[in-house]
Amino acid sequence: MVNVATATSRVRVTVDGKGFRLGAAKFHAKGVTYGPLAPGADGTPFATPEATRRDFSLIVDLGANLLRVYHVPPRWFLDLAHEHGLKLLVDVPWNRQQCFLDAPATRRELVESVRQAARRCAGHPAVFALSVANEIPADIVRWSGSEAVTAFLDELIRGAKAEDPELLCTFGNFPTTEFLRAEAADFLCFNVYLHDRQPFENYLARLQMLSDTRPLMLGEIGIDTVREGEERQSEVLRWKIESAFRCGCSGVVVYAFTDEWWNGGRLVEDWAFGLTRADRSPKPAFETVRRQFAVAPYFPLPASPKVSVVIASYNGATTLKTCLQSLEHLNYPDYEVILVDDGSTDATPSIAALFPGIVSLRHPKNLGLSAARNTGIEAATGTIIAFTDSDCRADEDWLHHLVGDLLRSRFTGIGGHNLLPPDDSPTAAAVMVSPGGPAHVMLNDRVAEHIPGCNMAFYRWALREIGGFNPIYRKAGDDVDICWRLQQRGYQIGFSPAGFVWHYRRNTVAAYLRQQTGYGEAESLLERRHPENFNRFGGSVWHGRIYTSAKIGVETRRPVIYHGIFGSAPFQSIYTRDASLTLVVGTSLEFHVLVTLPLLVVSAVVPFVWTLGVASLVFSLGLCVTAALQAEIPASKSRFWSRPLVALLFLLQPIVRGWARHRGNLLGNQTPLSARETLDSLSLADRGEDLDHLLYWAEQGIDRMTFLAHLLERLDALGWQNKPDAGWSRFDVEIHGSRWSRLQLLTAVEFHEGGRRMLRCRLRSEWSSFARVVFATVAGTLLVFIGIWSRLPFPEPSIPPSPLRFWPWLSLLLLWPLAWKLNAAKRDLHRLVAAFLDGCAKEFRFVRVPRSGE
């Protein structure tokens, strides 16, 4: 079994989302560490070619496809590995136990040693990746500073890539210094020695959050047979390999192939991590690892319930074909694909016709995203319904990981990453790191508060229990609403780090701003349905951490890292701080309107104020520039104009999205006329009756919350816009009529003898926010007109005074018909809601009691 190298094995391994790819096929690293061994005649810590060949035969028999070596191997070693179809993760050896950054000469020597290693490995098909460091001690990191060490790691990686741009690079990390971030690293490589299954899996979930959109590889897992015994080693490695791949790791490396280990100028004999003994006789763990490597990475799922994949598409012909092609060959045994064409006017129908294996449905006109997804739910026959978008391309293992993580948990729904496709444009890359893109929000390492709609799956029974998606969300916001509604029912939503899709971003500034406009409109709708999740300015309030490629704020503070006697404590990144939210405030529409603009306007009258106005404007622009400089743009997509574009988008996005949100709050809070006409206000017995306080008598007890739940359900069914109490409001529900009026309803129940009850309803109608803005604008305009008119030069007053000076004041009388119209709208809404309450009361067999009969 020597000449197993194929044409495919000559291709370099590349990063592919959360994993690796070798040519057209995925590459799942299944490896062992090898050496260092006792130095041979040439002084290198490798065995002779003959002994190495025998070892490689055993390693191939193990089912491994990767070796991790801790010295740069000679050429013959590389050739022999390639001959056996093995890839090499090569560590560059250097003394990490010393304060290597204190001496500039030492720093230069280390950079040159990494470059030499890269030159020796450059272009060789056996090389998987280069590790520029391994387990830098925590006290050394704290001595030099984590930022300085991170910068040095990036410098080492850039030096290696200068010699071979296609060479994958990483560094070996471990829990004590998990806060180190090398942005230039292609993937994360962690050495993890936890020997209890649940803590091990919990830590892998944590590492997946740290790795975010990059692959996570376990560079060392192992257990010492001297202290733990050979049977314990076999059992622990069995579940470690399985857990690693189930948790979405891109590969594992078992430490070590053999007990023979040369360290510190001698053979180490007081510990034994090898799968074979020093004489290469296999331990029980050898056969265990061989069985696990034969199954990995696709360990059987607990079950394989049918999955319905729903794609809602409106004029998505540009990427629809790519999307449907990716769904044809998913690594999952039982699924169907349902395409809902939401009234597209482009080539969507003709593209759908090219895929006879999918279920294709079409709306005669555009009904909106939520309605299209509801159509898909109704047509679905699967136990689980997964959703993605027509501008996405699914990874072939998408459902395998998504469903597997869902079945192994108590989650009701689950989501995953949406990554920038390698073939997307540089403009799309700039959009990706700009604010407002689809992101997941995590409450902890496993539980999500929100998952993006382009990659989510739920049990069908849960979607039906809450009535599916709310049709009011036509463009966006449906995924946020569905997550919050499920959580309000007590259900949890999870996150699958390996279940990802490729998501094409907007390719023009105009398309990006249109998307943000839709998001702003959706936020105004969400605020009405979920006011408890918004602040007083209409901004969403998240309880979890937002994971996105864009900076949520400017980074102004260092991570909190233990020093002193606590400096060696693991799990340090739990103390990292998020970016400052100053950016969110300093670039918001509210900041521009309430701070910058007034200062600039006042400066026209008060000259010295202009400096404050300019300073406010410079502050906002400076935040945008800083955010653009901190943006992590993929190197392959970065252009000279990328960061200026990101700064521009950071400036425009809050303005466009904020305006859309406020416009929605002012103009969107109205019940359509068709819905208002479903009630007959003339059905009330007495037109002159006081409708501010309604009383209903119940012979049989009724729970107030049951009545309110029914009331809200009826309002939604009739299309009436409403806003439930957020928990601290002075009303139970706020009902919106036309754009001019709204009404607040407060209820209370009195308990009487015999189980009878009195339901009290207090109705308070008022002008809407839009009506108040209109009235204030008209009044302000008239007052400005009067002020200007009073300053005009007129002839000396005559006896009696000239009426020209006073007639503008009569223009204020124009406010009277406006106020009358607004009050009329308020009265109409009042009567309509009273009639609505009468109808609901009749359904519960309540009897209206006049106030005089209390």
Side-chain angles (χ1 to χ4, degrees), residues 94-313:
W94 51 276
N95 191 346
R96 299 172 297 279
Q97 309 296 326
Q98 298 178 358
C99 298
F100 48 87
L101 292 184
D102 284 4
T106 301
R107 179 171 183 153
R108 289 192 296 270
E109 290 174 3
L110 294 179
V111 173
E112 181 56 31
S113 67
V114 168
R115 294 180 70 109
Q116 289 181 2
R119 282 195 292 270
R120 291 172 60 180
C121 296
H124 199 286
V127 177
F128 164 70
L130 192 72
S131 175
V132 299
N134 185 43
E135 293 189 0
I136 302 176
D139 54 338
I140 299 297
V141 173
R142 286 167 176 78
W143 175 267
S144 300
S146 61
E147 295 90 347
V149 174
T150 297
F152 181 63
L153 290 171
D154 282 326
E155 182 182 358
L156 293 177
I157 293 173
R158 285 193 296 270
K161 286 186 175 290
E163 301 295 332
D164 184 358
E166 295 183 359
L167 178 64
L168 299 184
C169 292
T170 187
F171 74 100
N173 206 349
F174 66 139
T176 312
T177 58
E178 65 179 29
F179 50 81
L180 288 177
R181 302 283 192 273
E183 299 302 334
D186 294 295
F187 61 94
L188 266 68
C189 181
F190 264 82
N191 305 333
V192 181
Y193 290 90
L194 291 172
H195 299 336
D196 293 316
R197 185 163 190 167
Q198 196 58 53
F200 179 77
E201 293 181 352
N202 290 342
Y203 192 58
L204 291 190
R206 174 185 178 78
L207 290 181
Q208 286 288 12
M209 290 299 104
L210 295 179
S211 66
D212 198 16
T213 59
R214 287 182 287 185
L216 170 64
M217 182 173 175
L218 297 186
E220 290 179 10
I221 60 170
I223 183 169
D224 179 20
T225 57
V226 172
R227 294 161 183 81
E228 302 283 349
E230 293 185 354
E231 293 302 322
R232 169 77 168 154
Q233 179 197 39
S234 178
E235 172 59 19
V236 169
L237 289 179
R238 181 193 63 78
W239 60 254
K240 273 192 175 184
I241 295 172
E242 179 177 347
S243 293
F245 284 108
R246 286 195 187 277
C247 292
C249 292
S250 57
V252 295
V253 180
V254 177
Y255 186 92
F257 168 67
T258 179
D259 285 345
E260 180 185 348
W261 187 48
W262 180 271
N263 187 42
R266 66 181 183 86
L267 284 172
V268 177
E269 298 178 346
D270 57 349
W271 64 356
F273 281 75
L275 299 178
T276 65
R277 302 174 185 88
D279 62 358
R280 303 311 192 260
S281 60
K283 297 179 184 178
F286 186 94
E287 182 59 30
T288 298
V289 171
R290 176 162 55 183
R291 288 196 303 267
Q292 295 300 83
F293 277 178
V295 178
Y298 302 116
F299 289 90
L301 299 178
S304 299
K306 185 174 183 179
V307 179
S308 298
V309 179
V310 175
I311 309 105
S313 178

Side-chain angles (χ1 to χ4, degrees), residues 44 169 176 287 326 357 437 451 501 532 574 592 665 746 820 831 834:
T44 61
C169 292
T176 312
E287 182 59 30
S326 72
I451 50 178
V501 299
E532 69 279 6
I574 197 170
H592 296 316
N665 289 332
L746 180 66
W820 181 89
R831 294 186 63 80

Side-chain angles (χ1 to χ4, degrees), residues 657-669:
R657 187 162 175 169
W659 168 245
R661 184 177 67 249
H662 289 300
R663 183 182 61 190
N665 289 332
L666 290 174
L667 303 179
N669 290 339

Side-chain angles (χ1 to χ4, degrees), residues 510-525:
Y512 167 74
L513 295 180
R514 284 196 299 271
Q515 179 194 47
Q516 297 307 308
T517 298
Y519 287 168
E521 294 170 351
E523 283 179 326
S524 69
L525 297 173

